[in-house]
Amino acid sequence: MTKEIPNISESEWEVMNVLWKKAPQTANDVISSLQEQTDWKPKTVRTLLDRLVHKKVIGVNKDQRIYTFFPLYSQDECQRAEAHSFIKRIYGGALKSMLIQFVQEDSLSETDIRELRSILNEKPKKK
C-alpha cells in the first residue's frame, strides 16, 4: 500500500457503501439512500460526509451549484486497509493466528475449504 488510508468508523462505512454503489451523489441523495436503511437524521449524514471529506476519504465537487461527493479510494482499497488494521490490532499482525482461529472455530463447508486450498496453492512463494 503506497498511501495510508485513514481509519473509517462503522457509520462512515455506511456512507461509503452508498457512494461506492453510485457516485458522484449529492448530500440529499446520500441522505435518501441512508434513510431507507437507518434512522439517521439528515444532519447526522451531513456530519459524516464532512468527516469523510476532512479525512480525505471522499472528495467534493464544488464546481456546481449543488455539491456532489465521490470516493477517493476504492472499496477494495478500504477493505484491505481495514483488514490490515484489524489483524495488527487484534492479532499483533499475525495473519496466521487469525486464520487458525477462524478455521478452527468457524464451520467451513467443503466448497469453502476447496476454495481456500486453491487460493493458498496459487499464492506465489516468498523467497
Side-chain angles (χ1 to χ4, degrees):
M1 237 179 298
T2 53
K3 46 186 177 175
E4 186 79 17
I5 298 173
N7 288 333
I8 302 172
S9 73
E10 202 169 320
S11 300
E12 291 166 345
W13 272 97
E14 296 294 325
V15 173
M16 292 302 296
N17 285 327
V18 169
L19 290 173
W20 283 320
K21 284 180 187 165
K22 181 181 175 237
Q25 290 193 52
T26 66
N28 286 338
D29 293 336
V30 176
I31 290 166
S32 295
S33 293
L34 287 169
Q35 282 181 332
E36 294 172 9
Q37 51 198 6
T38 68
D39 59 354
W40 297 345
K41 304 280 186 247
K43 185 173 179 162
T44 302
V45 177
R46 288 181 193 279
T47 299
L48 292 169
L49 287 167
D50 287 343
R51 279 191 206 159
L52 288 165
V53 168
H54 181 73
K55 289 181 177 184
K56 296 183 170 83
V57 178
I58 64 173
V60 58
N61 184 351
K62 298 178 181 180
D63 296 339
Q64 305 162 348
R65 193 172 62 84
I66 299 175
Y67 293 178
T68 55
F69 299 88
F70 55 92
L72 296 175
Y73 296 97
S74 70
Q75 187 170 13
D76 186 59
E77 288 174 308
C78 289
Q79 287 171 336
R80 285 177 193 265
E82 188 67 23
H84 180 73
S85 173
F86 173 79
I87 292 165
K88 190 175 177 182
R89 270 190 341 266
I90 307 301
Y91 293 95
L95 177 62
K96 181 180 172 185
S97 298
M98 184 200 74
L99 289 173
I100 290 169
Q101 182 175 0
F102 277 96
V103 168
Q104 289 176 342
E105 292 184 16
D106 212 27
S107 56
L108 296 173
S109 69
E110 284 299 318
T111 305
D112 292 337
I113 292 169
R114 277 194 301 276
E115 188 176 338
L116 282 172
R117 278 196 182 116
S118 172
I119 291 167
L120 290 171
N121 288 337
E122 290 174 16
K123 179 131 176 86
K125 306 271 189 268
K126 288 185 181 177
K127 293 183 180 183

